[in-house]
């Protein structure tokens, strides 16, 4: 059976779209439907209360994705003291698709560790902002990227609400976007969890169907009263993500580097306000302005007609 | 006294079962070698007797409801208030090494026993169980306090012999 | 050049040499009718050319370095600020300032306001060159500029705003080239192309309006992809595109006033009476348009704040900065334009235009760079990035000047009516 996924759907729309000529805009209509996500897509639930900050996931990712040798060993805990520009903790880079950061929280005895990587949104901003369709949300849940068509405009980096995609700025010949692909090629495709999940010695991450994970997350919160923050980050945030997070009650999400003000709408919904006017302008403007022209120049026309008589 | 006997039987069983499953029990000395992270780390010697003393014979501290003592968690009790000792009370008797194998995924997500759904893998069970207690009791809690890294481990973590050459250029503020 | 003009020199403005029936050769036209020696002399005499020489000496190696060593060498290569000055200045500032093309086209061809005709071609050229160099800036910024045509032909992502920008800017560039074909035809003595364009000029103009409405708006809409990153006062899902579109109207017109002022001041020898005598009157006409666009813009800016109920944010630090931007970039030029119109003073209108242009620069740089990532940190562009921007912008000025000197933009071609 042929599956109609979002991508082929868009491609189909393209035929009509291309007909709408160079202006290439009527096709925006395709983006105005909403996409609830693939029913059987997989996800990962990250229970940050269990993370011990050993950085094994970082090492596993590095090996699985054949990333360059790190600047510091993966068992070196001094990276937790590192800060990038603006006093911010480490982020994903072209050399590291996943990063663990340590957060000291006031009134909490132990620090909390936060692992993060691409959250693999249900409706990814990177995908919807890409003008060469380099991104694909696979039915398995991964957001993957095709570097052979990337032009390097970096709009995906602007659009990503989580500051995930990195870019190989150092390459002059073939700079590309670098981000976690949920080990799609080597593992997810074959039903295996991403390398970081499997490598974790502490069982921080649970791999499973996204729908199952959501109920599991709520069950955990319910089963351990007073232990967990009641927000399952990623269940609804920015339209939902394949990776979701639980944190402890005394370490709220906004204190451990999560943006809790992103809302529940997927990013593309903010853009639809504009996309909606495109077909309108395309169809109404020509008639409207030609009409203006006829009105504005009617005196000349009358004069000309009289002249001809 | 019955306790002690039960435990001995348990270990005899363990010795028979464990080698292929993860726990190489040395029943006579009752010092076990935990090797759930083998390859990356050498085995960890685990003095079972000492830990039994530490928890004052309350096996449930580690073995939940499987060792015949009364389960601790309020949620566990709802089903396991009077559960007898199971056939295989060892850690690896329940906690698989590879919880994400197709077979185990099917088993864990297919179960009606909701609280068993996200059962940790063997190594996760060790770390979740041991580490919290170790931290609370000021017992060793750093990675290398318990583990000695193997050659493979050093390669994996890019450390020791495989450590990166430190760069003079500190152009590392990530955002850039 | 002024020296030659004082000596009685008249630059080429006919097909045939004055007095004799010999046509100018192409090379002679390019040298404006000067001998090569004299041409070089006037080049050397102009201090601006020395400045450009300096810019080139420093800038060209840096530009080559950007393509040899990669973007990370020329910019900070920041993951948090994927767009720097190349796009912040080159795309988001250049494009609104080039809106004059469609504005003047619309006024003259569509609304039949022939009284703006003396400035129409300058408006069109300002538009064409602005867009052309926006594309040059884009090419400097893209990771793989050789793949520029991918969104058109290789791998299409039609649901993206940038897809629309790419197609529109490409199409609009061709429209603008077509609109300027008559000027080039006159210089070259071609007849057919000019006639052809004249017959489709209405179509071109309407296409210009559509494309401009959409891509000026689309540049704004690009930021609606970053609701969590752009400061809420500068962000509005509903109005962002209209803010950008509406402000591009007074941006383009104000830029036209600025450019025409510069042309009259520095290229006076090239301007004919039709241009110089009408300039004050037309400037005031443009000022009226600017004032109307400014007041509309001010109202929708306020509407956006009311719509999202962000009044409280005005009292924060960023709010003060926002108020400064509005007062300096919108209210001040609006008042100056109003004053200019009341006193019928082209001089005040010109001053207002300069402020309005600065105001637009402030707004676009704010949105793209300064209030972007307001939750993180401020990024100061790398010096090499600044050098490359100055280099490309200088090239823009040089090309602009070269066109004005040769093409019948500021003067009327003799021998044939426009």
């Amino acid at each position: 059976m042929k599956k109609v996924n979002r991508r082929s759907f868009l491609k189909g729309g393209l035929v009509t779209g291309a007909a709408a000529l160079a202006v290439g805009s009527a096709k925006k209509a395709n983006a105005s439907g909403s996409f609830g996500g693939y029913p059987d897509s997989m996800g990962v639930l990250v229970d940050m209360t269990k993370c011990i900050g050993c950085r094994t996931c970082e090492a596993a990712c590095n090996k699985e994705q054949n990333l360059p040798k790190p600047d510091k060993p993966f068992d070196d805990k001094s990276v937790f003291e590192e800060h990038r520009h603006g006093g911010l903790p480490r982020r994903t880079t072209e050399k590291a698709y996943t990063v663990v950061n340590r957060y000291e929280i006031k009134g909490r005895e132990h620090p909390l560790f936060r692992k993060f990587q691409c959250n693999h949104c249900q409706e990814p901003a990177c995908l919807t902002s890409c003008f060469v369709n380099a991104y694909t949300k696979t039915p398995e849940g991964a957001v993957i990227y095709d570097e052979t068509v990337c032009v390097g405009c970096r709009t995906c980096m602007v659009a990503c609400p989580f500051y995930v995609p990195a870019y190989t700025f150092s390459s002059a010949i073939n700079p590309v976007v670098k981000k976690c692909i949920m080990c799609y090629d080597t593992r997810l495709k074959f039903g295996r969890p991403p390398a970081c999940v499997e490598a974790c010695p502490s069982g921080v991450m649970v791999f499973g169907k996204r729908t199952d994970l959501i109920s599991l997350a709520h069950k955990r919160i319910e089963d351990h009263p007073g232990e967990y923050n009641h927000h399952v980050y990623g269940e609804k945030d920015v339209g939902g993500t394949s990776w979701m997070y639980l944190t402890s009650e005394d370490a709220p999400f906004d204190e451990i580097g999560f943006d809790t003000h992103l809302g529940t709408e997927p990013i593309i919904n903010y853009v639809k306000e504009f996309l909606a006017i495109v077909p309108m302008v395309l169809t109404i403007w020509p008639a409207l302005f030609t009409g203006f022209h006829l009105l504005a120049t009617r005196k000349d026309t009358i004069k000309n007609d009289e002249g001809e008589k | 006294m019955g306790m002690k006997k039960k435990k001995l039987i348990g270990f005899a069983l363990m010795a028979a079962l464990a080698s292929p499953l993860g726990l190489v029990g040395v029943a006579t000395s009752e010092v076990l070698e935990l090797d759930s992270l083998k390859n990356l780390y050498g085995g960890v010697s685990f003095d079972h007797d000492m830990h039994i003393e530490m928890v004052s014979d309350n096996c449930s501290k580690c073995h939940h409801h499987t060792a015949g003592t009364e389960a601790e968690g309020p949620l566990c009790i709802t089903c396991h208030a009077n559960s007898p000792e199971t056939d295989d009370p060892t850690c690896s008797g329940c906690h698989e090494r590879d919880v994400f194998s197709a077979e185990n995924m099917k088993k864990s997500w297919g179960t009606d026993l909701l609280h068993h759904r996200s059962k940790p893998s063997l190594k996760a069970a060790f770390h979740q169980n041991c580490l919290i207690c170790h931290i609370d009791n000021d017992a060793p809690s750093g990675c290398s306090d318990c583990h000695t890294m193997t050659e493979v481990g050093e390669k994996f973590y890019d450390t020791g012999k495989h450590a990166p050459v430190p760069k003079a250029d500190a152009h590392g503020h990530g955002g850039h | 050049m002024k020296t030659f003009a004082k000596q009685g020199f008249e630059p080429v403005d006919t097909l045939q040499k004055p007095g004799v029936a010999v046509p100018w050769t192409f090379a002679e036209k390019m040298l404006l009718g000067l001998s090569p020696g004299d041409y070089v002399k006037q080049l050397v005499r102009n201090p601006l050319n020395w400045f450009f020489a300096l810019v080139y000496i420093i800038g060209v190696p840096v530009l080559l370095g950007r393509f040899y060593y990669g973007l990370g060498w020329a910019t900070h290569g920041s993951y948090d600020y994927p767009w720097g000055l190349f796009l912040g200045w080159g795309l988001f500032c250049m494009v609104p300032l080039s809106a004059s093309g469609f504005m003047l086209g619309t006024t003259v061809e569509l609304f039949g306001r022939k009284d703006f005709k003396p400035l129409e071609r300058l408006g069109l050229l300002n538009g064409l060159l602005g867009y052309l160099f926006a594309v040059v800036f884009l090419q400097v910024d893209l990771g793989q500029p050789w793949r520029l045509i991918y969104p058109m032909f290789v791998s299409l992502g039609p649901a993206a705003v940038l897809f629309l920008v790419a197609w529109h800017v490409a199409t609009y560039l061709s429209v603008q080239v077509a609109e300027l074909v008559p000027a080039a035809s006159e210089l070259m003595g071609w007849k057919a192309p000019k006639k052809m364009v004249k017959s489709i000029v209405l179509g071109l103009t309407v296409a210009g309006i559509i494309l401009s409405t959409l891509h000026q708006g689309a540049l704004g809409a690009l930021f609606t992809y970053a609701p969590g990153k752009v400061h809420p006062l500068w962000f509005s899902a509903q109005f962002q595109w209209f803010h950008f579109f509406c402000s591009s109207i007074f941006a383009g017109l104000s830029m036209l006033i600025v450019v025409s002022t510069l042309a009259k001041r520095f290229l006076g020898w090239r301007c004919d009476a039709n241009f110089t005598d009408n300039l004050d009157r037309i400037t005031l006409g443009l000022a009226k348009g600017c004032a109307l666009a400014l007041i509309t813009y001010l109202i929708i800016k306020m509407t956006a704040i009311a719509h999202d109920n962000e009044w409280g944010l005005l009292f924060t630090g960023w709010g003060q900065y926002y108020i400064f931007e509005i007062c300096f970039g919108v209210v001040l030029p609006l008042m100056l334009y109003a004053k200019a119109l009341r006193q019928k003073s082209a001089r005040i209108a010109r001053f207002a235009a300069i402020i309005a242009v600065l105001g637009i620069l402030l707004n676009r740089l704010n949105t793209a760079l300064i209030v972007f990532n307001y939750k993180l940190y401020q990024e100061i562009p790398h010096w090499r990035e600044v050098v490359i921007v100055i280099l490309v912008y200088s090239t823009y000025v040089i090309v602009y000047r070269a066109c004005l000197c040769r093409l019948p933009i500021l003067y009327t071609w003799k021998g044939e009516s426009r």
Side-chain angles (χ1 to χ4, degrees), chain A residues 194-266:
Chain A
C196 53
V197 174
E198 197 161 294
C200 177
S202 194
V204 172
M205 292 162 275
V206 184
F207 173 70
K209 268 191 208 170
R210 186 175 184 272
T211 43
D212 289 340
L213 292 174
I214 292 172
S215 50
L216 173 68
H218 288 289
K219 190 99 191 94
R220 265 197 201 174
I221 295 172
E222 194 186 317
D223 285 354
H224 301 85
E227 280 182 41
Y228 286 101
N229 186 302
H230 282 221
H231 181 178
V232 179
Y233 195 94
E235 180 189 358
K236 297 199 175 102
D237 303 75
V238 208
T241 56
S242 291
W243 280 63
M244 292 167 291
Y245 302 82
L246 287 176
T247 184
S248 86
E249 190 172 47
D250 51 6
F253 282 105
D254 44 10
E255 283 181 38
I256 51 171
F258 284 85
D259 192 340
T260 50
H261 302 286
L262 292 172
T264 54
E265 299 281 322

Side-chain angles (χ1 to χ4, degrees), chain A residues 14 22-23 28 84 91 94 131-132 147 150-151 153-154 157-158 160 163 169 173-175 259 285 289 293, chain C residues 68 72 77 79-80 82-83 109-110 141 143-144 146-147 155-158 161 167-168 213 225 229 237 373 375:
Chain A
L14 202 73
V23 254
K28 298 297 169 304
R84 71 182 204 267
R91 58 159 284 166
E94 63 199 81
F131 74 155
V132 287
E147 62 170 53
C150 178
V151 180
C153 70
R154 311 190 292 283
M157 298 168 71
V158 167
C160 176
Y163 294 93
F169 284 107
I173 307 298
N174 189 31
D259 192 340
W285 258 218
F289 281 92
H293 174 69
Chain C
Y68 187 78
Y79 306 135
D80 296 330
W83 293 342
E109 304 298 342
L110 209 128
D141 185 72
Q144 310 211 19
W146 46 89
R147 289 183 180 172
S155 177
L156 290 79
V161 170
W167 272 103
H168 284 204
T213 313
Y225 280 115
K229 299 184 182 178
N373 281 346
K375 288 182 198 162

Side-chain angles (χ1 to χ4, degrees), chain B residues 8 11 32 39 52 56 62-63 75-77 154 168:
Chain B
L8 279 174
F11 276 114
L32 313 174
N39 288 337
I52 292 169
S56 326
C62 302
H63 288 276
L75 275 166
C76 308
I77 296 177
E154 289 193 350

